[in-house]
Amino acid sequence: MADVRTAPNAGFASISDFFRNATHSQKKEVFLSVLQQANNAQRKVMEQSSKGGQKR
């Protein structure tokens, strides 16, 4: 899966340009990448929260 930050390297001048001109597969790839990053961030927060609760 491509890193979202590679979108400008793909020839899109802005986010609106990306949504107007990207193919369905490019949009899907970016969506899945963002979703994975959000899941990872949520998992990290949950792990930190559970470690904090164990210290008490």
Side-chain angles (χ1 to χ4, degrees):
M1 223 178 279
D3 190 343
V4 175
R5 291 170 287 204
T6 62
N9 297 333
F12 300 106
S14 65
I15 190 74
S16 58
D17 185 39
F18 171 78
F19 282 108
R20 274 193 306 267
N21 299 309
T23 65
H24 177 73
S25 62
Q26 288 172 315
K27 292 175 186 177
K28 182 178 178 180
E29 184 177 355
V30 169
F31 172 78
L32 292 175
S33 176
V34 170
L35 185 62
Q36 185 64 46
Q37 290 176 27
N39 285 339
N40 291 342
Q42 182 181 28
R43 186 176 301 113
K44 184 177 177 182
V45 168
M46 291 173 68
E47 288 171 356
Q48 289 174 344
S49 175
S50 69
K51 288 178 184 176
Q54 293 172 354
K55 290 180 182 176
R56 293 178 185 162

